Amino acid sequence: MNLEVLSISDNQELQNIVIDKIRELINYKNLEPNDKLPSERMLSDKFGVSRGVIRDAIQKLEFYGLLKSMPQSGTFVANVGAIAMNGIVDDILDLEKPDFKSLVETRILMELKTVKLASLRRTDADLKKMKSALNAYSKKVLNNENAVQEDLLFHLAIAKASKNSTLNTFMLSITPEIITNFAKYHVCDDDLAMSGIEEHTAIYEAIKDQDPALAREKMKIHFKTLYQYCYSK
């Protein structure tokens, strides 16, 4: 599994402009729930931005339940009233870019839940993916190479094994930003990477043994440095 390192806020401003224009279009044309939006190409031409930006904006509105896409059919207004839709869009546009510490804190809270669920729901295929990520991490560390990406891929494999698509989506959305900022904020000392092998292995074994309490405890131990970063300053 490859992980492309991109900032989640690279085109945030452009996305917000498009989101606002889509909202204006829905209001201007008095579109009702289940009415179809113009195609991505038409919106791209109308708003003067790339289809990629249009797609990202639509996906965000889908995420918040304001639009719904159907394969081979197009994108439709969701079953949300105009007042609620406008209020939610206002909230989306007012969202501040999350600071790095809040991202790390969110990751801790989510992973203490996903590791318990993964212990209960993991399959043999999930264990295979975790083991592969663990081996890749260990190899990098033992070669004195930076293993931040491999570290997070191990945790993403756990999130996927939780079988909770919402938690998995949240993890995927915050991971690129965490990767790009780990070194910048000096969260973890390079010397801790070696102990990370042992900690990852302990987490993996607890999940393999389907022991959710132990898995959560091992994850808390693994997050000791992150706890200090979030709560000691």
Side-chain angles (χ1 to χ4, degrees):
M1 177 162 56
N2 293 323
L3 193 65
E4 187 176 8
V5 181
L6 295 172
S7 170
I8 60 175
S9 59
D10 279 347
N11 65 347
Q12 187 70 50
E13 185 175 350
L14 204 51
Q15 274 187 43
N16 284 348
I17 291 172
V18 171
I19 286 172
D20 195 32
K21 286 183 177 295
I22 290 175
R23 185 250 301 266
E24 290 176 357
L25 179 68
I26 292 173
N27 288 330
Y28 178 74
K29 290 196 171 185
N30 293 318
L31 296 182
E32 301 286 341
N34 298 316
D35 283 347
K36 186 176 180 180
L37 286 183
S39 67
E40 286 183 5
R41 180 192 293 180
M42 292 177 67
L43 291 175
S44 175
D45 292 340
K46 183 177 180 64
F47 299 152
V49 297
S50 70
R51 291 179 66 176
V53 172
I54 297 294
R55 193 173 302 115
D56 288 342
I58 288 175
Q59 287 176 349
K60 179 172 285 189
L61 290 171
E62 281 188 271
F63 178 80
Y64 288 102
L66 300 179
L67 297 178
K68 54 184 179 181
S69 292
M70 300 177 63
Q72 311 302 322
S73 298
T75 302
F76 300 82
V77 178
N79 192 23
V80 179
I83 294 175
M85 183 201 70
N86 283 302
I88 294 171
V89 170
D90 284 338
D91 288 340
I92 294 172
L93 298 179
D94 286 340
L95 285 174
E96 297 180 3
K97 177 182 179 296
D99 61 273
F100 181 60
K101 184 175 289 189
S102 71
L103 286 172
V104 172
E105 185 176 42
T106 300
R107 177 192 170 193
I108 292 172
L109 294 172
M110 287 197 301
E111 290 214 55
L112 292 177
K113 175 59 69 174
T114 58
V115 75
K116 290 180 66 177
L117 293 175
S119 299
L120 298 170
R121 300 172 178 175
R122 97 293 183 278
T123 63
D124 289 342
D126 293 323
L127 289 175
K128 186 176 180 180
K129 290 179 181 178
M130 282 181 238
K131 187 65 173 177
S132 176
L134 174 57
N135 289 341
Y137 172 81
S138 301
K139 182 178 180 180
K140 279 282 190 77
V141 171
L142 293 174
N143 287 333
N144 293 316
E145 298 177 45
N146 184 293
V148 170
Q149 293 189 54
E150 287 72 19
D151 179 7
L152 288 168
L153 284 174
F154 174 73
H155 290 273
L156 287 176
I158 293 174
K160 188 171 184 179
S162 74
K163 302 297 185 284
N164 183 304
S165 60
T166 301
L167 286 173
N168 191 33
T169 298
F170 274 127
M171 277 292 292
L172 286 167
S173 70
I174 67 174
T175 292
E177 191 81 352
I178 290 176
I179 290 177
T180 58
N181 284 287
F182 244 70
K184 177 181 177 181
Y185 290 98
H186 307 288
V187 178
C188 296
D189 195 299
D190 290 340
D191 293 338
L192 296 175
M194 194 64 70
S195 62
I197 297 176
E198 182 179 343
E199 292 168 3
H200 280 183
T201 301
I203 294 167
Y204 169 80
E205 291 297 334
I207 293 173
K208 181 180 179 182
D209 293 341
Q210 295 191 297
D211 189 333
L214 181 61
R216 186 178 189 276
E217 184 59 32
K218 294 301 182 182
M219 187 67 80
K220 286 183 69 175
I221 293 171
H222 180 53
F223 280 158
K224 180 180 179 181
T225 301
L226 293 183
Y227 269 108
Q228 293 174 344
Y229 175 76
C230 286
Y231 304 119
S232 65
K233 299 179 181 180

